[in-house]
Structure formats: structure tokens, C-alpha cells
Amino acid sequence: MEFRAEEVLEKIKKKELATVRRNPHTVPYLAINGVYEDLSGERIGWWTNGFWGGILWQMYHLTKEDCFKTAAEELEKKMDAALHNARCMDHDSGFRWLPTAVANWRLTGNPESYNRGTIAADNLAGRFNLNGSFIRAWNDENGVNRAGWAIIDCMMNLPLLYWASEVQKDPRYKAVAMKHADMAMKNFIRQDGSSNHILCFDPENGELLQALGGQGYKEGSAWTRGQGWALYGFTLSYLHTKEARYLETAKKVADYFVSKIPESGLIPVDFDQPENVDFEDSTAAAIAACGLIELGKICREDAESTADGRKYMDAALQILSALDEKRADYDEARDGILSHCSAQYHAEDHNLWFVYADYYYIEAVMKLTGDELFIW
Ligand code: GLY
């Protein structure tokens, strides 16, 4: 499989340098016609706002260019408005503060960043429902009580809890993360290795009431970004705990994902979408590539799993080659790299440019070149 990671990283580096110089104060979410939309201000609580920080810290780690650090520090401070607002605080604290405050702390030891990461972890742990052993996902919206809702995406927020336990030498956070991971393993992951998106529990007695199709095609289908969150999330839970059951689950999810990758290497929005629908999601592709590379590395270190390791790594390279050749825009005059991102199956537009697709694409490429700053 031909994927020249060093050459791709060189193009990314040039593009991100031009992008940050054009956007030193922007909090990007979508790139619209090559221009980043700015979510500073009222939309500072949006769940994706940490990913630009992740790009900036990865690029700072790689280049030591001050413009990346300055922009990342400004973003982190802006996000304090979300950290201090209960309405903004949901389960996505890992997505928001691991690539920003915790990344800053890892690189610079900044005590204010450590403080932010700790507040975010405390809040995330506080969302744990003891009756059902799950972390509550979202807050109520439009009059819908979502006290009993858990979503597979949360597997990617658990590393904030593993981090808090490690740095504080306090097992509470890790215990919450593992209770949630065990619940997800039991309830979200289906027999064939695919994952549900949303599960609704009775928040009083923990009874599982209903599975919802969520952002996928329909109930019971396999929304690919959710499969990516599960694949990478269980791999990370294994990396942080070394519990074999999480590795087995990650492999089960990965085997399902790999078996569904189309010949083109381009990932649909839902593996069960109708055959005549060509919706794609580059975010799912990039997230899965990260998980497959990490899983591949784990398996290759174990003599009995080398063949699996090769399979996962080849699948990651197939996905990344397809993104590089068909979906990446390295034009330095335009913001955003990956096209064909989709928020959900039932959306009007499926050709969007999301900052978090770029984040995971960059992370995957940097895993291959050995330049990655470990975020999760
Ligand atoms: N975590 C929300 C999403 O993946 O769209």
C-alpha cells in the first residue's frame, strides 16, 4: 500500500502554517469555500472546539513555530467560558480539554492548563450514573429529558479520566472510566462487532429501555463515525488499563470495520446505508485510521497477533491513501484539508469540511512518521 507519510506531513505542515497565520484568533469548525467559520463567542461550547487546539499543539510539537503555540493558548483561554458554564458542560470534556489544556500541560507544564484539565475531569466523572453504570452524554434539549442517554462517542472522552487518575494518583476517575467501558462493551457492541450509537436507560434503576439510530441511517444500523469512536476508544481503554477485554472488544469492532471498507477506501456515512446512496464521511475514515494504527502497533508487538497487526495497519493505509489521493486539499490559500465530511446520515449536506476530520488525519499521519504528540 503506497502512502508516503513523510511527504504528506510536509504538505500538511505548510498548509497549517499558512492557515494559522491567516487565522490566529479563529475557533474553527467548518471550512466554507476554503474559509474557516469562527465559533468564538456564543458557540464556544460546541463539542468540536478542542480539535483546532489539537492541530496547533501537534504542529507546535513538530515545528516549534511560536504562532501555533500562541494561537493554541488563546483558544484554551477562550474555552474557559464553556468550562464555567454548566449548560455547555456535557460528556465531551475529553474532546475539548485533552487536545487543548492537557496537551498544553504535557508540553509546557503550565499549571493553569493542569487546573483546566482537572476541572473538566471532575465534571465528566460527576456525570456518572451509579444506577446504570454509564456516563450521561448530553444535557436536556428542546424539553427532552436525556438523563438516561449514553452514546458510544463517550469512549473517546474516557482518556481524560485515565489522565486525571494517573496525574493525581487517585483511582476514582479510572474506576468511573472502566465502569462506563464495561457497560459499553456489554450493551453497545453487537454480536457482529458493530456498535449502536445511542442507548437510553432508565436513570432511576438503570434498565436498558431503547437503542436509537442517532446520527446513523436507522436503528440497528452502523453509523461509521460511531464505529470509529468505538474502535479507537476501546483501543485507548486497553492502552490505559492493559485489560485484555478491551483489546478483544477493540479487535472485534476493528474486524467488523475492516470487513466493510469498500474497495475505494472511502468510508460511507453508514455501513448499512442503501446501495444507491453515496454519502461519505471522511471524519469516520480518519478516526478509524488512528484506531487501526494503534491497534496494529499493539498486535504487532504480540507474537500471536502479528497477522492481525498487519491487517489493521494495511486497512489504515488503504483509508489514508484514499483520503490523500481523493479527498485532501493541500492548497495553502484555503482553510481545511478533508472534504466529504458528514454530521449525520439524515443531513442535507454531506460534503462538508470539518476541523476534526483534519485533526484525526494529521494525528494518523504523525503516528506513521513517529512525530505524534500523544493526546488521548
Ligand atoms: N460526538 C458527536 C459526533 O461524533 O458527531
Side-chain angles (χ1 to χ4, degrees):
M1 198 64 56
E2 193 75 68
F3 182 73
R4 296 198 176 89
E6 274 82 10
E7 286 174 24
V8 172
L9 187 55
E10 204 46 43
K11 288 187 277 185
I12 288 172
K13 199 167 79 182
K14 288 189 183 136
K15 169 127 186 172
E16 294 306 336
L17 198 51
T19 305
V20 73
R21 286 184 175 143
R22 236 184 350 263
N23 294 279
H25 311 297
T26 307
V27 182
Y29 169 45
L30 283 168
I32 301 168
N33 298 323
V35 178
Y36 271 147
E37 181 192 23
D38 185 7
L39 265 54
S40 303
E42 291 224 326
R43 293 184 71 194
I44 198 65
W46 185 235
W47 74 277
T48 65
N49 284 350
F51 289 108
W52 176 233
I55 293 176
L56 296 169
W57 286 117
Q58 293 288 3
M59 288 295 115
Y60 177 69
H61 182 57
L62 183 72
T63 64
K64 297 291 175 291
E65 290 276 355
D66 266 337
C67 54
F68 289 121
K69 182 168 181 272
T70 313
E73 288 166 346
E74 183 178 318
L75 167 69
E76 186 181 320
K77 287 195 188 114
K78 279 186 186 168
M79 287 174 60
D80 281 351
L83 193 61
H84 298 149
N85 184 343
R87 282 191 305 280
C88 295
M89 296 301 284
D90 60 21
H91 77 136
D92 282 331
S93 289
F95 285 132
R96 283 183 276 210
W97 284 283
L98 281 171
T100 53
V102 177
N104 186 351
W105 175 78
R106 286 190 212 271
L107 283 174
T108 70
N110 181 353
E112 285 175 29
S113 302
Y114 180 92
N115 188 40
R116 291 183 178 105
T118 305
I119 293 171
D122 282 340
N123 190 283
L124 182 58
R127 298 182 73 83
F128 188 70
N129 180 313
L130 281 150
N131 301 329
S133 275
F134 63 87
I135 292 174
R136 175 181 176 163
W138 296 312
N139 303 330
D140 296 347
E141 199 177 73
N142 302 327
V144 180
N145 179 301
R146 302 197 282 195
W149 288 32
I151 70 173
I152 192 62
D153 320 28
C154 191
M155 287 304 301
M156 286 299 296
N157 289 313
L158 302 186
L160 181 64
L161 301 176
Y162 295 128
W163 169 79
S165 264
E166 191 190 320
V167 294
Q168 294 182 38
K169 303 200 174 15
D170 180 338
R172 287 176 304 146
Y173 304 91
K174 182 177 176 185
V176 167
M178 290 176 72
K179 290 270 186 232
H180 181 90
D182 288 338
M183 175 287 301
M185 210 169 68
K186 178 167 161 239
N187 295 295
F188 275 89
I189 306 305
R190 306 182 187 118
Q191 205 55 42
D192 65 357
S194 67
S195 175
N196 285 295
H197 182 206
I198 300 175
L199 293 182
C200 306
F201 296 91
D202 182 326
E204 299 285 354
N205 63 20
E207 186 194 340
L208 177 56
L209 300 175
Q210 197 185 1
L212 301 177
Q215 285 158 257
Y217 169 49
K218 62 177 185 181
E219 193 188 318
S221 73
W223 174 53
T224 54
R225 190 157 66 247
Q227 312 310 302
W229 295 140
L231 196 173
Y232 198 10
F234 277 105
T235 304
L236 290 165
S237 271
Y238 171 71
L239 280 177
H240 287 288
T241 65
K242 294 289 178 286
E243 288 292 338
R245 62 187 185 277
Y246 301 143
L247 180 57
E248 279 159 29
T249 307
K251 287 176 76 175
K252 186 170 166 178
V253 175
D255 288 342
Y256 170 80
F257 197 101
V258 171
S259 76
K260 296 284 179 181
I261 299 174
E263 216 172 299
S264 66
L266 299 170
I267 304 301
V269 173
D270 194 305
F271 283 132
D272 295 313
Q273 69 193 29
E275 274 177 22
N276 60 350
V277 169
D278 62 359
F279 300 160
E280 265 176 54
D281 188 12
S282 298
T283 69
I287 295 157
C290 286
L292 289 165
I293 295 170
E294 282 304 328
L295 198 52
K297 280 196 275 184
I298 295 166
C299 292
R300 284 162 88 174
E301 280 161 18
D302 167 16
E304 283 174 27
S305 307
T306 22
D308 284 340
R310 192 67 258 161
K311 175 177 73 180
Y312 299 142
M313 205 57 95
D314 283 349
L317 294 176
Q318 183 194 1
I319 291 171
L320 292 173
S321 302
L323 291 176
D324 173 47
E325 284 166 24
K326 300 171 198 160
R327 298 298 177 239
D329 177 356
Y330 300 109
D331 182 345
E332 290 162 38
R334 292 167 55 83
D335 299 336
I337 299 175
L338 293 184
S339 65
H340 292 76
C341 301
S342 173
Q344 54 181 322
Y345 181 86
H346 296 285
E348 278 183 15
D349 197 347
H350 292 276
N351 187 11
L352 300 170
W353 305 64
F354 285 150
V355 68
Y356 57 108
D358 292 359
Y359 173 76
Y360 285 103
Y361 181 58
I362 292 169
E363 185 185 297
V365 174
M366 291 177 78
K367 282 183 195 299
L368 295 176
T369 61
D371 294 301
E372 177 199 14
L373 166 70
F374 188 76
I375 293 282
W376 312 106

